[in-house]
Amino acid sequence: MHFDYLIIGGGLAAATAMKELVRIDPGAGIGLIAEENEPPYDRPPLSKDFLLGKKPREGVFLLNDDFFSENGIQAIWGRPAVSVDAERHRVTIENGGESGYNRLLIATGCRLRRLSCPGADLPGLYYLRTLAESERLSRAAERGGQAVVIGGGFIGLEVASVLSQLELSVTLIHRGERLLENFGSEELSTYYEELFASRGIHTVYKDEAAELAGTDAVESVITKAGRILPCNFAVAGIGVFPDTGFLDGSGIESGNGVVVDERLRASAADVYAAGDVANFFDPLFGWRRRIEHWDNAIRQGRLAAVNMAGGSDSYSFISYFYSTMFGLTFEFFGDMQGCDETIIRGSFDTRSAAVLYLHEGVLRAAFMQGRFLKERNVVKRLISERQSLETVRGRLADESFDLEDALAP
């Protein structure tokens, strides 16, 4: 078949793009190639409310079957794309078959990094990327007992938080020295370390899984430092990588994702990329970025659709993500790369704090927890407008100082 718009990938960026294309180009032929058998669904709840049992299965889906039939969208489920011929405008699908396109959107997201140590093939080791994986982990958690979470990134911390709330005994293995150390704030790390400890989570720092041991299933995790950590099951959250393997030989440039410009256009004509897989140029900061977060998938899915339909819009957003642990949500705006100063407003002890990240007196990013909507909006403006805060630098930590007064008139 041949489509006006063909989308590879079945996640949030793909779903957003389809909805936008239906709106701005009604009647166009749209095709979808998705590796999973499920319609697009929201991934953040998989390590939060869905895993905790607070969100029903039907509540995670972004689109229903009626959307596809009502809009004439042809979807191929459970058969990933295996190659792209950008010159011929053709996509080859697993188990045979080709689809042609006028415009192609690559929204394949990322693939999980998996453990390669001895015992990594034992039953009782879980990963968390898909709905099916979250359901399997949920069933394991229902049996209770001890769990070892391998990896101290966002997924590992969120899963450890949920398992603890489900009354399992949880040990977290983190190869870093501090929790959330990438945020560069001792106060922030200390707060979350104490929070996790107060909820009964034992964290092992500066160590990694070396072996998973057990007769018929995982019974313990043995670390590189020689620790033996008994468990009923283990969960690995050790990162992801962009899903671009099928693009080898396609003529589409890739490298830490699909390389695109600020309009999400790839190196090959009529090809675009959006979401986790897009290595895009961010004009606000002046460098390339690849963002693995919910908000970015929505914004880029919509932007790609507009430009595929003939628009010429550029990426002009303040990047944003959030995480929730033990019912406590924090947000992060911007990009802290290259920042030379951090300033804290408020107090983590009161669950209301902001960490401001500056570069040569200009606000580039902010971590915010329990802050007012007004302050969050002001922070986004300050990042976007890139004005110098030198004249008020000494007052930024003062809660009585209204950040709105730092905005240029």
Side-chain angles (χ1 to χ4, degrees):
M1 296 187 67
H2 190 95
F3 299 97
D4 297 314
Y5 306 106
L6 180 59
I7 300 171
I8 305 176
L12 180 57
T16 305
M18 283 188 287
K19 288 192 289 187
E20 188 69 8
L21 287 170
V22 165
R23 185 185 70 83
I24 62 180
D25 195 359
I30 302 173
L32 177 72
I33 300 171
E35 183 171 356
E36 293 186 57
N37 285 307
E38 303 279 7
Y41 54 84
D42 209 11
R43 294 189 191 275
L46 303 185
S47 59
K48 303 178 182 72
D49 283 352
F50 179 75
L51 185 58
L52 197 54
K54 291 184 175 181
K55 195 179 189 78
R57 191 179 198 275
E58 59 272 18
V60 304
F61 289 101
L62 301 166
L63 303 172
N64 56 34
D65 291 337
D66 291 342
F67 173 84
F68 292 89
S69 59
E70 290 172 358
N71 294 290
I73 297 174
Q74 301 292 314
I76 299 172
W77 305 110
R79 293 171 59 196
V82 295
S83 67
V84 175
D85 186 332
E87 185 174 350
R88 293 177 55 236
H89 285 48
R90 306 291 292 179
V91 177
T92 302
I93 307 162
E94 186 178 75
N95 297 326
E98 280 190 345
S99 291
Y101 62 86
N102 294 338
R103 299 283 189 277
L104 175 68
L105 175 62
I106 300 169
T108 46
C110 291
R111 291 192 177 277
L112 287 170
R113 296 191 185 280
R114 297 182 180 272
L115 292 174
S116 58
C117 61
D121 57 347
L122 282 171
L125 171 63
Y126 297 90
Y127 295 91
L128 187 51
R129 180 71 178 170
T130 68
L131 177 57
E133 288 168 335
S134 184
E135 289 175 322
R136 287 194 290 269
L137 177 56
S138 179
R139 289 192 292 270
E142 287 176 359
R143 296 190 287 270
Q146 297 174 290
V148 171
V149 178
I150 303 165
F154 293 127
I155 291 296
L157 294 178
E158 289 174 359
V159 168
S161 161
V162 169
L163 295 179
S164 174
Q165 291 174 79
L166 293 174
E167 300 185 352
L168 281 84
S169 175
V170 180
T171 298
L172 173 68
I173 304 174
H174 177 42
R175 65 182 180 180
E177 296 184 1
R178 308 292 304 270
L179 292 188
L180 299 175
E181 59 195 334
N182 289 342
F183 287 123
S185 166
E186 288 191 13
E187 293 91 338
L188 187 160
S189 290
T190 297
Y191 176 79
Y192 278 91
E193 288 162 1
E194 292 176 350
L195 173 64
F196 272 59
S198 71
R199 300 303 181 95
I201 295 176
H202 172 59
T203 303
V204 175
Y205 295 97
K206 295 189 289 185
D207 208 351
E208 300 178 46
E211 179 182 353
L212 277 64
T215 304
D216 299 313
V218 175
E219 297 174 2
S220 65
V221 177
I222 303 172
T223 73
K224 287 187 175 180
R227 296 180 174 93
I228 300 175
L229 307 173
C231 61
N232 297 95
F233 64 90
V235 187
I238 56 174
V240 297
F241 61 92
D243 185 2
T244 59
F246 68 100
L247 296 176
D248 292 347
S250 66
I252 301 168
E253 182 183 358
S254 63
N256 186 31
V258 179
V259 177
V260 295
D261 63 11
E262 66 272 17
R263 296 177 183 175
L264 304 185
R265 300 175 299 188
S267 61
D270 303 320
V271 179
Y272 298 75
D276 295 10
V277 76
N279 178 344
F280 69 100
F281 180 78
D282 188 335
L284 175 63
F285 294 102
W287 53 67
R288 291 199 159 276
R289 305 178 68 193
R290 190 177 63 76
I291 302 175
E292 300 167 2
H293 294 294
W294 175 86
D295 183 69
N296 182 67
I298 293 176
R299 292 182 181 275
Q300 288 194 345
R302 187 175 296 122
L303 176 62
V306 168
N307 290 341
M308 290 168 72
S312 58
D313 292 357
S314 295
Y315 186 96
S316 59
F317 316 112
I318 303 298
S319 57
Y320 161 86
F321 71 87
Y322 74 98
S323 182
T324 300
M325 303 165 195
F326 294 109
L328 188 63
T329 297
F330 67 74
E331 301 169 297
F332 192 87
F333 301 93
D335 188 347
M336 60 181 286
Q337 178 181 328
C339 289
D340 51 30
E341 183 179 9
T342 59
I343 295 173
I344 296 179
R345 287 173 63 84
S347 169
F348 284 101
D349 290 338
T350 63
R351 294 193 166 198
S352 177
V355 183
L356 308 180
Y357 300 87
L358 290 81
H359 174 71
E360 297 180 351
V362 175
L363 185 66
R364 282 192 172 173
F367 173 105
M368 310 196 79
Q369 174 182 295
R371 308 302 288 178
F372 293 111
L373 177 62
K374 174 187 173 182
E375 184 174 272
R376 286 150 52 202
N377 288 335
V378 169
V379 160
K380 287 189 286 185
R381 280 190 60 188
L382 288 171
I383 296 171
S384 177
E385 294 174 7
R386 293 177 283 188
Q387 69 182 68
S388 174
L389 300 179
E390 288 290 350
T391 58
V392 296
R393 197 174 194 163
R395 304 181 64 190
L396 294 176
D398 184 354
E399 285 273 75
S400 66
F401 174 68
D402 189 340
L403 285 183
E404 192 170 26
D405 294 337
L407 290 167

